Amino acid sequence: MPPPLCRILYVEDEPDIRVVAQMALQAVGGFAVIACASGEEALSVAPDARADLLLLDVMMPGMDGPSTLKALRELPATAHTPVIFMTAKVQAAEVALYKGLGALEVIPKPFDPMELSAQIQRVWAAQA
């Protein structure tokens, strides 16, 4: 059984989506959320964030989700932190690619804010 999920490092470049997801994760899920607008910002806060989970958008300018994950894996604080990707690109081959990068799951966008925390909690509980 994994330890309880408390802190999520969330990276999303779209401000509206970031605010909705952050509010949903905090209000509905009760999670502490460290929200970042870019991969670069995530790299700067990750060492001190003590995140239990990385929640990464895939399509972002500059560093996309996979590039951000690669860079986060090089930091001791996030080298082994579980990751979930969120994206509108959910063709089977794309999902397989993201899982091949180590993602526990891929959550499709648009997501249901009222279901997001439960989706993440199910994925978290399923890792053994």
Side-chain angles (χ1 to χ4, degrees):
M1 190 81 184
L5 174 57
C6 299
R7 296 176 65 80
I8 298 173
L9 178 62
Y10 174 48
V11 186
E12 167 62 63
D13 64 305
E14 286 291 330
D16 294 348
I17 297 172
R18 189 171 58 248
V19 167
V20 168
Q22 183 175 5
M23 287 183 358
L25 292 168
Q26 290 172 329
V28 179
F31 300 116
V33 179
I34 303 97
C36 300
S38 67
E40 292 86 353
E41 184 182 348
L43 289 175
S44 70
V45 304
D48 299 317
R50 299 183 333 274
D52 301 313
L53 177 72
L54 306 172
L55 182 59
L56 305 177
D57 181 22
V58 169
M59 294 182 293
M60 298 184 288
M63 292 177 73
D64 64 3
S67 301
T68 300
L69 177 60
K70 185 175 188 294
L72 287 168
R73 288 293 182 238
E74 294 171 7
L75 300 175
T78 50
H80 304 288
T81 306
V83 63
I84 295 174
F85 281 116
M86 289 178 65
T87 182
K89 300 180 77 151
V90 289
Q91 298 292 333
E94 292 161 332
V95 171
L97 172 72
Y98 306 138
K99 288 193 173 184
L101 296 174
L104 296 176
E105 190 56 78
V106 178
I107 295 177
K109 285 181 178 178
F111 58 88
D112 177 348
M114 298 309 293
E115 271 299 303
L116 183 59
S117 293
Q119 281 179 287
I120 290 172
Q121 202 62 268
R122 282 192 297 273
V123 172
W124 184 259
Q127 62 171 339

